[in-house]
Amino acid sequence: MKDHESEELSGIDQRLRDPLTDALFEALLLLENKEECYRFFQDIATVAEIKSLAQRLEVAKLLEKNVTYTTIAQNTGASTATISRVKRCLYFGADGYQLILRRLGENEKGED
């Protein structure tokens, strides 16, 4: 592994790392647009799994805006346990949520 790769992965839970997971993430990086994402995810995951991931991302967006748990639960249908877990990851995790929320914000600014 290259030095910069080991630095990038320093905050990653090493239980995730294995050749199959690496192959999955490499495959995801090959998807070129939203349509391809829908096709791939429809084949690889259940509707419930996809909806759960989407819900967690929305919860992270709302937490970042300091929306209350009650409002988040009402708006997303997420349980308080899910909201708490997302909050813990958002502020004390591997910075994955922070990374994607920052990029989504940059993308929105670029579209204005």
Side-chain angles (χ1 to χ4, degrees), residues 4 6-7 9 14 24-25 39 53 59 70 77 86 95 101:
H4 74 281
S6 60
E7 287 175 19
L9 296 174
Q14 292 304 303
L24 171 63
F25 293 155
R39 290 172 174 267
L53 294 171
V59 167
T70 303
V86 171
D95 292 332
L101 292 174

Side-chain angles (χ1 to χ4, degrees), residues 14-31:
Q14 292 304 303
R15 295 174 295 178
L16 286 173
R17 301 243 341 128
D18 64 37
L20 294 177
T21 306
D22 285 349
L24 171 63
F25 293 155
E26 290 296 330
L28 291 174
L29 292 170
L30 296 174
L31 298 170

Side-chain angles (χ1 to χ4, degrees), residues 1-12 14 94:
M1 184 177 336
K2 298 174 191 162
D3 286 339
H4 74 281
E5 287 178 351
S6 60
E7 287 175 19
E8 289 174 10
L9 296 174
S10 62
I12 305 300
Q14 292 304 303

Side-chain angles (χ1 to χ4, degrees), residues 44-94:
I44 200 167
T46 66
V47 171
E49 289 167 334
I50 297 165
K51 294 289 189 181
S52 178
L53 294 171
Q55 180 188 63
R56 289 177 184 190
L57 179 58
E58 183 62 18
V59 167
K61 290 177 184 178
L62 295 171
L63 285 169
E64 188 178 52
K65 294 176 182 176
N66 295 314
V67 176
T68 66
Y69 274 39
T70 303
T71 303
I72 293 171
Q74 290 171 343
N75 291 351
T76 66
S79 68
T80 55
T82 296
I83 298 167
S84 293
R85 183 179 191 291
V86 171
K87 185 175 183 177
R88 186 172 55 252
C89 292
L90 181 62
Y91 297 110
F92 304 107

Side-chain angles (χ1 to χ4, degrees), residues 64 90 94-106:
E64 188 178 52
L90 181 62
D95 292 332
Y97 279 121
Q98 297 288 349
L99 172 71
I100 202 65
L101 292 174
R102 183 176 64 249
R103 289 187 182 166
L104 286 169
E106 291 169 359

